[in-house]
Amino acid sequence: MNNFVKVSRHDGVAVITIDNPPVNALSPGLPEAIGAAIDEMNADPAVKAAVVIGAGRTFVAGADIKEFGKMTSGATPRRSLLPFLLRIEDSRKPVVMAIHGAAFGGGLELAMAGHYRVASPTAQVGQPEVKLGIIPGAAGTQRLPRLVGVAKAVEMCAEGKPVSAPDAAALGLIDRVIDGDLLTGAVAFAREIADMPAPKARERMGKLGTLVENAAILAAAHDAARKKQRGMKAPLAAIEAVEAAITMPFEEGCQAEQKLFTECLFSDQSKALIHIFFGERELAKIPDVPKETPVIPVNRVAVVGSGTMGGGIAMVFANAGIPVLLKDVDEAALDLGMEKIRKNYASSVQRGRFKQAFVDERLRLITPALSYDAFSDVDIVVEAVFEGMALKKSVFADLDRACKPGAILASNTSTLNIEIAGATSRPEAVIGTHFFSPANVMRLLEIVRGKKSSKEVIATCMQLSKRLGKIGVLVGNCRGFVGNRMFGPYRREAQFLVEEGADVEAVDKALVEFGNAMGPLATGDLAGLDVGWRIRKEYRHLEKPGIRQPFAEDRLCELGRYGQKTMKGWYRYDENRRANVDPEVTALVRKWSAEAEIPQRQISAEEIVDRCIYALVNEGARILEERFALRAVDIDIIYLNGYGFPAYRGGPMWHADTVGLPKVYQRICEFHHQHRELWAPAPLLKRLAESGKTFAEFDREQSAAGLLERVNSA
Ligand code: T1G
């Protein structure tokens, strides 16, 4: 028996404890060890039943995802868990699976191969494989519908959402929820069932039904997958595999599952999503901020500014159960801000996202304020006032006076330099916390390191982002930080393409078909074209003479076309905010382009995508080189969670790796030749392309060689 498994005896019950920290993943050797323990148990006359339980914080988090790369590169052979699970299911003596923490993927498949399942009330079970671009690959799509029915199995396998233990018990997936000590309860349960038959999930046909009976369920699942997981292959494969459970005997169903699983595993989509899985776990690893850095306790917070962003940020804190003061300059502004918050919560209740009781509780946590009087005991303040340096500096000076020593002063600025800190006597406590609109929905949080931001303040904000249900990414302090700095060139190219003859809707359609949640021009209309226009006007003095600048959006703003907020921008909007192509815009842009003597031409969807996406990649490479981002994967995660970039492409930097940097570089050189300086290739991109390397390799080499330095806080 290797170290993965320990066996103990409890009065006729063998307890098999899986111990493979941190999450008991089914690494090579572990399934074999469990199988051997089951055989030993069956051979021991003194033992009547077995309990399988996980050591540490969880049952089993699934197959070892770290092994997938080795399998798809051919470094190690593909290992199937099916025979090992059949060995458990065919055990002569009953096997009880005792679940705490998570039984995910192969972990739930292991549990379903057991004859009974018990769980602690906080346990979760699920088949999240689609989030990795794969499907269950160890008979999960065959045993699950037999245990919970086709509808639930399709939902769990195609959407990948976890199910709580009490809900799983209601579905018949869990036989008993154990309050109190799980092991004690599981051993007692094992004794109860020791002399009863050991039901095999694969033989339970009662909940399957026929193809005809399930036709509507399967059709609805397909539609939902195409809509909610647009472009992703794995959800459709998962539905197809569950369908095989209805139409085929167990063994054939497993073979059909294996075929679909293998196709998914070797797909670019899966490689991209696994890249993101591990990337998300790298985010918190900051070279000069070790994980044992002390954090500042955050029990009370304040937000300054109750506008759209301020109100959303206050909701984020309240949703995490943290009392929040919300300050604004006068009663009218505050009433408006609180009204918007109440409206937001009301629509969340209407859409079933929150229960009314939850909302009432959250609203009680938000206290409107007209002064800084109560700011003396808050642990962090987030400033979300109008985007003007002078105003922000005066607010920070006020906060410096009103807040206790050690309180963190954070700014939600999306473009301004964190030198705002200079307005305080405590620059080490100043940091950027850039939320994305709507703040109570978008998961991304750019945490902007100022020149003097202390390690404690950084560590606190990184940890706080998790507590707020956000994905916190540490970025350097340059104009637009990472996300918006890259978004500039991306939207610049979208405007240029329209000025050169492309139709507005063609530009957006090309990027939506590429997989983006929304096209660049429609996104501008959503955010408000005037936001960028005001910033461009503020920075006009920084524009290099002789460098082409897009003009279309500025001209639209001069005509009061700010987008959705004025019911017209690039598109015209109806009362339901639906976008309609506006021939007036096409005519206006053609006229302006003629005045600017810009030759008009037919532009392919391929060129549209290349110019917009490679503009992202080129600027991303500059940001990496200038160290305003720690890793290329950090940039990818920013774009997936803040800008609607398709997750199954892994983010702009990973996408470029997948296309191949030599090809991307060559295309950028073509654009450089056509469009001159704006498309000068980033030196890092040139170097990697010429050395046949990838951004992912750059990340690995940087961290392996300890070259991962602190982000540039300028
Ligand atoms: N394999 C390998 N490493 C894993 C892992 C896994 N399945 N799950 C987590 N880790 C590592 C992770 O990289 C991190 O490492 C550490 O464990 C802690 O993770 C056959 C084919 C279980 C809910 O998709 O959802 O089974 O950074 O920070 O927040 O059909 O981990 O410390 O070096 O996330 O407490 C399906 C994935 C696999 C579940 C715990 N399973 N894991 O969350 O910790 S495919 C999953 C999670 C499969 C079968 C198929 C979460 C968690 P490091 P963490 P956490």
Side-chain angles (χ1 to χ4, degrees), residues 182 301 408 599 699:
L182 178 64
V301 306
I408 298 174
D699 278 357

Side-chain angles (χ1 to χ4, degrees), residues 22-23 57 61-66 106 109 128-129 136-137 277 281 285:
V23 291
R57 64 181 183 200
D64 189 336
I65 305 169
K66 291 194 179 75
E109 290 165 309
E129 285 89 343
F277 176 85
R281 280 137 188 94
K285 297 171 184 164

Side-chain angles (χ1 to χ4, degrees), residues 156-462:
M156 288 175 71
C157 293
E159 296 182 18
K161 289 198 195 112
V163 174
S164 71
D167 290 352
L171 289 163
L173 184 53
I174 298 286
D175 299 287
R176 185 176 296 169
V177 175
I178 307 256
D179 293 312
D181 180 61
L182 178 64
L183 180 57
T184 313
V187 169
F189 183 92
R191 281 208 199 94
E192 276 174 43
I193 54 87
D195 302 320
M196 288 160 60
K200 299 178 180 180
R202 72 173 189 267
E203 294 168 356
R204 292 161 71 162
M205 311 304 282
K207 289 187 177 179
L208 276 181
T210 64
L211 196 55
V212 176
E213 288 162 350
N214 289 295
I217 291 167
L218 295 168
H222 272 110
D223 288 353
R226 284 203 192 89
K227 280 204 196 81
K228 286 194 259 174
Q229 299 149 301
R230 187 169 60 86
M232 286 189 69
K233 298 199 177 86
L236 300 170
I239 298 166
E240 194 181 333
V242 173
E243 186 176 328
I246 305 166
T247 58
M248 301 176 187
F250 181 78
E251 288 69 24
E252 277 175 52
C254 286
Q255 281 152 24
E257 176 197 84
Q258 289 307 296
K259 184 170 172 301
L260 291 159
F261 170 79
T262 308
E263 281 163 14
C264 289
L265 184 66
F266 284 79
S267 70
D268 284 346
Q269 293 198 355
S270 175
K271 293 181 182 120
L273 290 162
I274 290 171
H275 156 74
I276 292 298
F277 176 85
F278 287 117
E280 284 178 353
R281 280 137 188 94
E282 287 296 305
L283 291 175
K285 297 171 184 164
I286 298 165
D288 65 332
V289 182
K291 69 170 183 274
E292 52 283 345
T293 302
V295 296
I296 300 157
V298 174
N299 301 314
R300 261 181 84 70
V301 306
V303 175
V304 181
S306 66
T308 308
M309 288 309 292
I313 296 167
M315 290 173 73
V316 171
F317 284 109
N319 293 350
I322 305 172
V324 50
L325 289 170
L326 181 59
K327 178 187 179 300
D328 214 316
V329 285
D330 60 40
E331 203 74 60
L334 212 43
D335 291 351
L336 191 62
M338 288 307 295
E339 188 45 36
K340 263 199 215 138
I341 290 174
R342 276 188 284 274
K343 270 212 187 99
N344 265 330
Y345 273 130
S347 78
S348 301
V349 172
Q350 230 167 21
R351 280 180 289 109
R353 182 168 171 227
F354 294 144
K355 296 246 181 323
Q356 190 56 48
F358 174 89
V359 164
D360 297 342
E361 215 179 288
R362 303 302 149 194
L363 279 169
R364 275 194 292 276
L365 289 171
I366 303 176
T367 309
L370 282 173
S371 76
Y372 290 111
D373 295 355
F375 277 48
S376 54
D377 68 348
V378 301
D379 305 304
I380 180 170
V381 184
V382 179
E383 161 277 312
V385 301
F386 192 73
E387 198 71 348
M389 186 55 91
L391 173 61
K392 288 190 189 282
K393 282 194 166 177
S394 80
V395 169
F396 270 72
D398 292 342
L399 291 173
D400 194 23
R401 282 187 292 275
C403 296
K404 66 181 176 186
I408 298 174
L409 308 183
S411 172
N412 180 55
T413 179
S414 57
T415 55
L416 297 178
N417 191 319
I418 297 295
E419 64 161 287
I420 299 167
T424 74
S425 61
R426 53 173 104 184
E428 75 288 351
V430 176
I431 194 164
T433 50
H434 177 208
F435 290 79
F436 285 71
S437 181
N440 56 311
V441 176
M442 297 298 281
R443 293 192 63 209
L444 179 63
L445 179 59
E446 276 187 328
I447 295 170
V448 187
R449 181 176 196 157
K451 204 180 273 148
K452 298 214 172 99
S453 305
S454 73
K455 296 180 182 180
E456 292 72 19
V457 167
I458 293 167
T460 303
C461 291
M462 291 300 287

Side-chain angles (χ1 to χ4, degrees), residues 495-656:
Q495 291 180 64
F496 280 166
L497 287 156
V498 175
E499 293 168 6
E500 293 164 25
D503 290 332
V504 171
E505 63 278 18
V507 170
D508 279 349
K509 184 163 174 283
L511 273 301
V512 167
E513 284 176 359
F514 173 81
N516 282 7
M518 189 182 258
L521 303 170
T523 306
D525 277 357
L526 176 69
L529 302 179
D530 56 320
V531 179
W533 184 42
R534 286 180 217 292
I535 294 168
R536 282 191 295 278
K537 284 199 281 187
E538 181 156 354
Y539 285 97
R540 197 70 81 195
H541 62 287
L542 293 177
E543 284 172 5
K544 289 198 194 121
I547 300 290
R548 180 183 174 192
Q549 297 292 340
F551 56 71
E553 243 168 48
D554 293 355
R555 304 290 294 270
L556 289 174
C557 287
E558 285 154 15
L559 296 173
R561 300 182 71 114
Y562 296 166
Q564 289 195 14
K565 62 176 93 173
T566 55
M567 305 304 276
K568 54 184 179 175
W570 284 106
Y571 297 90
R572 190 172 282 280
Y573 293 85
D574 61 26
E575 62 285 355
N576 303 318
R577 294 283 168 126
R578 249 196 310 276
N580 300 288
V581 174
D582 189 344
E584 188 190 335
V585 169
T586 312
L588 282 168
V589 175
R590 297 282 167 271
K591 180 167 97 35
W592 295 329
S593 295
E595 288 161 5
E597 295 170 1
I598 296 177
Q600 301 297 288
R601 59 190 177 87
Q602 291 298 317
I603 300 176
S604 67
E606 188 209 350
E607 178 182 345
I608 292 171
V609 170
D610 286 357
R611 277 179 62 181
C612 292
I613 299 297
Y614 293 166
L616 282 178
V617 174
N618 204 30
E619 195 63 26
R622 285 185 203 292
I623 285 172
L624 261 182
E625 187 144 42
E626 296 161 17
R627 290 186 300 100
F628 288 110
L630 279 172
R631 293 160 286 248
V633 69
D634 291 24
I635 296 176
D636 288 333
I637 289 166
I638 285 173
Y639 262 75
L640 264 59
N641 294 285
Y643 298 84
F645 196 94
Y648 60 81
R649 290 188 188 276
M653 311 312 279
W654 180 267
H655 171 69

